[in-house]
Amino acid sequence: MLLDLSNKKILVTGIANNRSIAWGIAQQLKAAGAELGITYLPDEKGRFEAKVKELTAPLKPSLFLPLNVQDQNQIKEVFTSIKEKWGQLDGLVHCLAFAGKEELIGDYSATTAEGFSRALEISAYSLAPLCNQAKPLFSEGAGVVTLTYLGAERAIPNYNVMGVAKAALEASVRYLSAELGPERQVRVNAISAGPIRTLASSAIGGILDMIHNVEEKAPLRRTVTQIEVGNTATFLLSDMASGISGQTIYVDAGYCINGM
Ligand code: IMJ
């Protein structure tokens, strides 16, 4: 085994279906020997719960919990369960984002205050309260990984308020890194993934053009897979990455180095 995560207990958020980047991450963490906790977004019909439960069953998660980050009580309950079951936490994987469909098309200047607040609350702010609750449980050398996108630093068509949210998320990674590092060597990093066909991207106009553009122009002349992002997350949560914190690591087939 290239990377050893045995004896590490890691919470993975943001699995919606078998195309989720969080699913690629969970599979690779498990392959490296980690013990997993999985969260799902609770909805009235329990659709995500059933789907995510079936999908993740082969990974034998020792915790399977509802988590809507807009509900502070659910955040608290997740970490109460972790404290009871594990007593500590070695890794936290944050793969949560949401903006209203109408916010992801057309003019950025048309973003409403409510749309802006919701996108930033779910996609950026949520990392802070999760880290805050996890803080007393983090073991020496524990790691936090979140997902970002190039739209945080470049104006990418239609990414709009999500770009602003990802910029806030990347800045949060630096502030959380500064906060969590000193006491117990906890590291916080972001992975900037290239475009992948997922639930979060399939609904978006122009995603296929974006993918074709990457296939033509990225140094590797292809897109990346959820598994490749999963391998990088596994590395970042392993002791092999003990000197890396506060960074945005690009897993994008080299796309972002291009001038045009
Ligand atoms: C999203 C919007 C516009 C352009 C986009 C994307 N490109 C890529 C994405 C070029 C790659 C996917 N991405 C990086 C995201 O962060 C997506 C977040 C997202 C997607 C949806 C779709 C369905 C919905 N709300 C969403 N909120 C966030 O209702």
Side-chain angles (χ1 to χ4, degrees), residues 3-46:
L3 290 163
D4 183 18
L5 266 57
S6 52
N7 303 318
K8 289 201 196 286
K9 295 167 173 57
I10 302 179
L11 186 74
V12 179
T13 65
I15 301 176
N17 62 31
N18 65 352
R19 285 189 165 184
S20 296
I21 295 175
W23 170 234
I25 294 174
Q27 288 174 88
Q28 297 315 89
L29 292 174
K30 182 67 184 185
E35 183 173 344
L36 300 181
I38 305 276
T39 73
Y40 61 90
L41 181 64
D43 60 306
E44 300 108 64
K45 292 183 177 164

Coordinates of all heavy atoms in Angstrom, one line a residue, residues 3-46:
L3 N 0.1 4.5 0.4 CA -0.1 5.4 1.5 C -0.9 4.7 2.6 O -1.8 3.9 2.3 CB -1.0 6.6 1.1 CG -0.3 7.6 0.1 CD1 -1.3 8.5 -0.6 CD2 0.7 8.5 0.9
D4 N -0.5 4.9 3.9 CA -1.1 4.1 4.9 C -1.9 5.0 5.8 O -1.4 5.8 6.5 CB 0.1 3.4 5.8 CG -0.5 2.6 6.9 OD1 -1.7 2.2 6.8 OD2 0.2 2.3 7.8
L5 N -3.2 4.8 5.8 CA -4.2 5.5 6.6 C -4.8 4.6 7.6 O -5.9 4.9 8.2 CB -5.2 6.2 5.7 CG -4.9 7.7 5.3 CD1 -3.6 7.8 4.6 CD2 -6.1 8.2 4.5
S6 N -4.2 3.4 7.8 CA -4.8 2.5 8.8 C -4.8 3.1 10.2 O -3.8 3.9 10.5 CB -4.1 1.1 8.8 OG -2.8 1.2 8.9
N7 N -5.8 2.9 11.0 CA -6.0 3.5 12.3 C -6.4 5.0 12.2 O -6.6 5.7 13.2 CB -4.7 3.4 13.2 CG -4.3 2.0 13.4 OD1 -5.2 1.1 13.6 ND2 -3.0 1.7 13.3
K8 N -6.6 5.5 11.0 CA -7.1 6.9 10.9 C -8.6 6.9 10.7 O -9.1 6.1 9.9 CB -6.4 7.6 9.7 CG -5.0 8.0 10.0 CD -4.5 9.1 9.1 CE -3.0 9.2 9.1 NZ -2.4 9.8 10.3
K9 N -9.3 7.7 11.5 CA -10.7 7.8 11.4 C -11.1 9.1 10.7 O -10.7 10.2 11.2 CB -11.3 7.7 12.8 CG -11.0 6.4 13.4 CD -11.3 6.3 14.9 CE -11.2 4.9 15.5 NZ -9.9 4.3 15.2
I10 N -11.8 9.0 9.6 CA -12.0 10.2 8.7 C -13.5 10.4 8.4 O -14.1 9.4 8.0 CB -11.1 10.0 7.4 CG1 -9.7 9.9 7.8 CG2 -11.4 11.2 6.5 CD1 -8.7 9.7 6.6
L11 N -13.9 11.6 8.5 CA -15.3 12.0 8.2 C -15.3 12.5 6.8 O -14.6 13.5 6.5 CB -15.9 13.0 9.2 CG -17.4 13.3 9.0 CD1 -18.2 12.2 9.5 CD2 -17.7 14.6 9.7
V12 N -16.2 11.9 5.9 CA -16.4 12.4 4.5 C -17.8 13.0 4.3 O -18.8 12.3 4.5 CB -16.1 11.3 3.5 CG1 -16.3 11.8 2.1 CG2 -14.7 10.7 3.7
T13 N -17.8 14.2 3.9 CA -19.1 14.9 3.6 C -19.2 15.1 2.1 O -18.2 15.1 1.4 CB -19.2 16.3 4.3 OG1 -18.2 17.1 3.7 CG2 -19.0 16.2 5.8
G14 N -20.5 15.2 1.6 CA -20.7 15.6 0.3 C -20.8 14.5 -0.8 O -20.8 14.8 -2.0
I15 N -21.1 13.3 -0.3 CA -21.4 12.2 -1.3 C -22.9 12.3 -1.7 O -23.7 12.3 -0.8 CB -21.1 10.8 -0.8 CG1 -19.6 10.7 -0.4 CG2 -21.4 9.7 -1.8 CD1 -19.2 9.3 0.3
A16 N -23.2 12.5 -2.9 CA -24.6 12.6 -3.4 C -24.9 11.3 -4.3 O -26.0 10.8 -4.2 CB -24.8 13.8 -4.2
N17 N -23.9 10.9 -5.1 CA -24.1 9.8 -6.0 C -22.7 9.2 -6.4 O -21.7 9.7 -5.9 CB -25.0 10.1 -7.1 CG -24.4 11.2 -8.0 OD1 -23.2 11.3 -8.2 ND2 -25.2 12.0 -8.7
N18 N -22.8 8.2 -7.3 CA -21.5 7.6 -7.7 C -20.6 8.5 -8.6 O -19.5 8.0 -8.9 CB -21.8 6.2 -8.4 CG -22.5 6.4 -9.7 OD1 -23.0 7.5 -10.0 ND2 -22.7 5.3 -10.5
R19 N -21.0 9.7 -8.9 CA -20.2 10.6 -9.7 C -19.5 11.6 -8.8 O -18.7 12.4 -9.2 CB -21.0 11.3 -10.8 CG -21.2 10.4 -12.0 CD -21.8 11.1 -13.1 NE -21.7 10.4 -14.3 CZ -22.0 10.9 -15.5 NH1 -22.5 12.1 -15.6 NH2 -21.9 10.1 -16.6
S20 N -20.0 11.7 -7.5 CA -19.5 12.7 -6.6 C -18.0 12.6 -6.4 O -17.4 11.5 -6.3 CB -20.1 12.5 -5.2 OG -21.5 12.7 -5.3
I21 N -17.3 13.7 -6.4 CA -15.8 13.7 -6.1 C -15.6 13.1 -4.7 O -14.7 12.4 -4.5 CB -15.2 15.1 -6.2 CG1 -15.3 15.6 -7.7 CG2 -13.8 15.1 -5.8 CD1 -14.9 17.0 -8.0
A22 N -16.5 13.4 -3.8 CA -16.4 12.9 -2.4 C -16.5 11.4 -2.4 O -15.8 10.7 -1.5 CB -17.6 13.4 -1.5
W23 N -17.2 10.8 -3.4 CA -17.2 9.3 -3.5 C -15.8 8.8 -3.9 O -15.4 7.8 -3.4 CB -18.3 8.9 -4.4 CG -18.4 7.4 -4.8 CD1 -18.4 7.0 -6.1 CD2 -18.4 6.3 -4.0 NE1 -18.4 5.6 -6.1 CE2 -18.5 5.1 -4.8 CE3 -18.4 6.1 -2.6 CZ2 -18.5 3.8 -4.3 CZ3 -18.5 4.8 -2.1 CH2 -18.5 3.7 -3.0
G24 N -15.2 9.5 -4.9 CA -13.8 9.1 -5.3 C -12.9 9.2 -4.1 O -12.0 8.3 -3.9
I25 N -13.0 10.2 -3.3 CA -12.2 10.4 -2.1 C -12.4 9.3 -1.1 O -11.5 8.7 -0.6 CB -12.4 11.8 -1.5 CG1 -12.0 12.9 -2.5 CG2 -11.7 11.9 -0.1 CD1 -12.3 14.3 -2.0
A26 N -13.7 9.0 -0.8 CA -14.0 8.0 0.2 C -13.4 6.6 -0.2 O -12.9 5.9 0.6 CB -15.5 7.9 0.4
Q27 N -13.6 6.3 -1.5 CA -13.1 5.0 -2.0 C -11.5 4.9 -1.8 O -11.0 3.8 -1.4 CB -13.4 4.8 -3.5 CG -14.8 4.5 -3.8 CD -15.1 4.5 -5.3 OE1 -14.9 3.5 -5.9 NE2 -15.3 5.7 -5.8
Q28 N -10.8 5.9 -2.1 CA -9.4 5.9 -2.0 C -8.9 5.9 -0.5 O -7.9 5.3 -0.2 CB -8.7 7.0 -2.8 CG -9.0 6.9 -4.3 CD -8.9 5.5 -4.9 OE1 -9.8 4.7 -4.9 NE2 -7.7 5.1 -5.3
L29 N -9.6 6.7 0.3 CA -9.3 6.7 1.7 C -9.4 5.3 2.3 O -8.6 4.8 3.1 CB -10.2 7.7 2.5 CG -10.0 9.1 2.2 CD1 -11.1 10.0 2.9 CD2 -8.6 9.6 2.6
K30 N -10.5 4.6 1.9 CA -10.8 3.2 2.4 C -9.7 2.3 1.9 O -9.2 1.4 2.6 CB -12.2 2.8 1.9 CG -12.6 1.4 2.4 CD -12.8 1.4 3.9 CE -13.1 0.0 4.3 NZ -13.4 0.0 5.8
A31 N -9.3 2.4 0.6 CA -8.3 1.6 0.0 C -7.0 1.7 0.8 O -6.2 0.8 0.8 CB -8.1 1.9 -1.5
A32 N -6.7 2.9 1.3 CA -5.5 3.2 2.1 C -5.6 2.7 3.5 O -4.7 2.9 4.3 CB -5.1 4.7 2.0
G33 N -6.8 2.2 3.9 CA -7.0 1.6 5.2 C -7.7 2.4 6.3 O -7.8 2.0 7.4
A34 N -8.2 3.6 5.8 CA -8.9 4.5 6.8 C -10.3 3.9 7.2 O -10.9 3.1 6.5 CB -9.2 5.8 6.2
E35 N -10.7 4.2 8.4 CA -12.0 3.9 8.9 C -12.9 5.2 8.6 O -12.5 6.3 9.0 CB -12.0 3.6 10.4 CG -13.3 3.2 11.0 CD -13.2 2.7 12.4 OE1 -12.1 2.4 12.9 OE2 -14.3 2.7 13.1
L36 N -14.0 5.0 8.0 CA -14.8 6.1 7.5 C -16.1 6.4 8.3 O -16.8 5.5 8.8 CB -15.2 5.9 6.1 CG -14.0 5.7 5.0 CD1 -14.6 5.6 3.6 CD2 -13.1 6.9 5.1
G37 N -16.4 7.7 8.4 CA -17.7 8.2 8.7 C -18.2 8.9 7.5 O -17.5 9.6 6.9
I38 N -19.5 8.7 7.2 CA -20.1 9.3 6.0 C -21.3 10.1 6.4 O -22.1 9.7 7.2 CB -20.6 8.2 5.0 CG1 -19.5 7.2 4.7 CG2 -21.3 8.8 3.8 CD1 -18.5 7.6 3.6
T39 N -21.4 11.3 5.8 CA -22.6 12.1 6.1 C -23.4 12.2 4.7 O -22.8 12.1 3.7 CB -22.3 13.5 6.6 OG1 -21.8 14.3 5.6 CG2 -21.4 13.5 7.8
Y40 N -24.7 12.4 4.9 CA -25.6 12.6 3.7 C -26.5 13.8 4.0 O -26.7 14.2 5.2 CB -26.4 11.4 3.4 CG -27.3 11.0 4.6 CD1 -28.6 11.5 4.6 CD2 -26.8 10.2 5.6 CE1 -29.4 11.2 5.7 CE2 -27.7 9.9 6.7 CZ -28.9 10.4 6.7 OH -29.7 10.1 7.8
L41 N -27.0 14.4 2.9 CA -27.9 15.5 3.1 C -29.3 15.0 3.3 O -29.9 14.3 2.4 CB -27.9 16.4 1.8 CG -28.8 17.6 1.9 CD1 -28.4 18.6 3.0 CD2 -28.8 18.3 0.5
P42 N -29.9 15.2 4.5 CA -31.2 14.7 4.7 C -32.3 15.5 3.9 O -32.2 16.7 3.8 CB -31.4 14.9 6.2 CG -30.5 16.0 6.6 CD -29.4 16.0 5.6
D43 N -33.2 14.8 3.3 CA -34.3 15.4 2.6 C -35.6 14.7 3.0 O -35.5 13.6 3.6 CB -34.1 15.4 1.1 CG -34.0 14.1 0.5 OD1 -33.2 13.3 1.0 OD2 -34.8 13.7 -0.4
E44 N -36.8 15.3 2.7 CA -38.0 14.8 3.2 C -38.3 13.3 2.8 O -38.7 12.5 3.6 CB -39.2 15.6 2.7 CG -39.2 17.1 3.1 CD -38.9 18.0 1.9 OE1 -39.7 18.0 1.0 OE2 -37.9 18.6 2.0
K45 N -37.9 13.0 1.6 CA -38.2 11.7 1.1 C -37.1 10.7 1.4 O -37.2 9.5 1.0 CB -38.5 11.7 -0.4 CG -39.8 12.4 -0.8 CD -40.1 12.4 -2.3 CE -41.4 13.1 -2.6 NZ -41.6 13.4 -4.0
G46 N -36.0 11.1 2.0 CA -34.9 10.3 2.4 C -34.2 9.7 1.2 O -33.6 8.6 1.2

